[in-house]
């Protein structure tokens, strides 16, 4: 199974872009990259996912390198409510283990006023 | 609506008790998941159900027994647990297990304490 590596913590100024990196150098062809966040031990909240192309939605952008070995989650204008633990996940998308997820240890993002 | 409802929110049980955790969704999702999360750690997958059939069991001890009685409901039966089983138990659901159907939506979890 692919592993993901994330920095333990990061700070960001309110209103600035937050760039959260993730390394997933052993990702395989049937695995997608997902990002979730978790606030105050609530259930994880889906943010965005992708296979190999860059993706953008109303919450964030996801940049995946061409070799797919790393990715960056971008929150374009961080607010205090974005303070959370952000998980980078590789998830099997087809085959016997479809649905199986491997979570990284997470990055605690603190947005400061 | 992307709501997954878990009950109870908190549970305290002794090592000889039998209890059950319940998870419900009404989004028409056909895949459901149980995760275990210890303090300050990421969630770890325990079980995956697809169309009410157990698809993945991550070598979970038999004192945890999952059940999927219908497409909306997922239970986790607990028996003879150990103190180290104390954790946040999370349920998730997705449209399916494959490709674009695999966005998993999580409930708020059941915080379990085993005494």
């Amino acid at each position: 199974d692919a592993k993901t590596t994330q920095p333990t913590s990061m700070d960001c100024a309110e209103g600035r872009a937050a760039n959260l990196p993730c390394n997933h150098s052993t990702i395989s062809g049937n695995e997608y990259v997902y990002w979730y966040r978790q606030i105050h031990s609530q259930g994880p909240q889906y943010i965005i996912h992708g296979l190999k192309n860059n993706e953008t939605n109303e919450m964030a952008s996801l940049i995946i390198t061409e070799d797919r070995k790393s990715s960056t989650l971008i929150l374009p204008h961080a607010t205090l409510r974005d303070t959370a633990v952000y998980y980078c996940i590789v998830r099997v998308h087809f085959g016997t283990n479809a649905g199986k997820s491997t979570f990284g240890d997470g990055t605690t993002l603190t947005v400061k006023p | 609506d992307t709501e997954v409802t878990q009950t109870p929110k908190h549970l305290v049980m002794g090592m000889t008790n039998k209890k059950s955790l319940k998870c419900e969704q009404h989004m028409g999702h056909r895949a459901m998941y149980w995760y275990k999360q210890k303090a300050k750690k990421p969630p770890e997958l325990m079980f995956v159900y697809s169309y009410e059939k157990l698809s993945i069991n991550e070598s979970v001890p038999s004192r945890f027994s999952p059940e999927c009685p219908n497409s909306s409901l997922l239970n986790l039966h607990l028996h003879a647990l150990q103190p180290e089983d104390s954790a946040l138990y999370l349920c998730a659901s997705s449209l399916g297990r494959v490709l674009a159907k695999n966005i998993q939506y999580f409930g708020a979890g059941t915080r379990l304490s085993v005494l």
Side-chain angles (χ1 to χ4, degrees):
Chain A
D1 295 340
K3 284 180 169 275
T4 68
T5 305
Q6 302 176 249
T8 301
S9 63
M10 294 181 65
D11 290 343
C12 177
E14 188 177 20
R16 304 297 295 268
N19 295 277
L20 291 88
C22 180
N23 181 290
H24 33 78
S25 59
T26 59
I27 194 169
S28 62
N30 69 344
E31 290 176 316
Y32 279 55
V33 178
Y34 280 74
W35 284 83
Y36 281 70
R37 70 182 183 186
Q38 189 171 28
I39 300 171
H40 298 308
S41 292
Q42 297 174 18
Q45 177 192 20
Y46 168 76
I47 300 173
I48 198 167
H49 76 286
L51 178 63
K52 56 183 178 181
N53 298 318
N54 298 340
E55 303 286 346
T56 295
N57 64 21
E58 64 278 5
M59 288 184 70
S61 295
L62 174 61
I63 310 296
I64 302 175
T65 57
E66 194 168 339
D67 63 7
R68 302 214 314 132
K69 292 185 177 182
S70 65
S71 61
T72 301
L73 176 73
I74 301 171
L75 306 178
H77 305 288
T79 70
L80 299 179
R81 287 179 295 179
D82 292 324
T83 293
V85 178
Y86 286 77
Y87 289 109
C88 172
I89 300 157
V90 290
R91 180 169 294 161
V92 180
H93 253 230
F94 51 87
T96 306
N97 286 327
K100 186 173 177 179
S101 301
T102 303
F103 281 67
D105 287 337
T107 296
T108 299
L109 175 69
T110 303
V111 180
K112 299 186 173 181
Chain B
D1 182 13
T2 55
E3 188 169 355
V4 176
T5 304
Q6 290 189 244
T7 53
K9 291 193 184 330
H10 302 274
L11 179 63
V12 179
M13 60 185 292
M15 289 189 283
T16 58
N17 292 159
K18 286 185 181 181
K19 296 285 185 184
S20 297
L21 310 185
K22 180 180 171 182
C23 173
E24 203 161 3
Q25 56 85 16
H26 297 287
M27 297 179 278
H29 289 180
R30 301 311 299 269
M32 297 186 77
Y33 311 78
W34 280 115
Y35 289 82
K36 173 182 177 180
Q37 186 175 25
K38 301 283 280 184
K40 299 191 186 302
K41 294 291 187 183
E44 295 178 353
L45 183 66
M46 301 174 71
F47 303 103
V48 180
Y49 273 82
S50 180
Y51 289 84
E52 296 94 72
K53 290 191 183 338
L54 183 63
S55 301
I56 296 176
N57 177 340
E58 290 288 84
S59 302
V60 178
S62 60
R63 58 185 183 268
F64 296 91
S65 176
E67 178 196 21
C68 190
N70 61 56
S71 60
S72 300
L73 190 55
L74 184 67
N75 298 319
L76 186 63
H77 303 299
L78 314 172
H79 173 55
L81 294 193
Q82 304 297 310
E84 59 266 28
D85 296 321
S86 298
L88 181 68
Y89 288 84
L90 293 161
C91 174
S93 71
S94 64
L95 270 174
R97 290 173 58 206
V98 299
L99 299 174
K101 297 181 180 181
N102 209 328
I103 297 175
Q104 296 178 19
Y105 296 94
F106 284 80
T110 293
R111 189 162 299 282
L112 174 67
S113 297
V114 182
L115 304 179

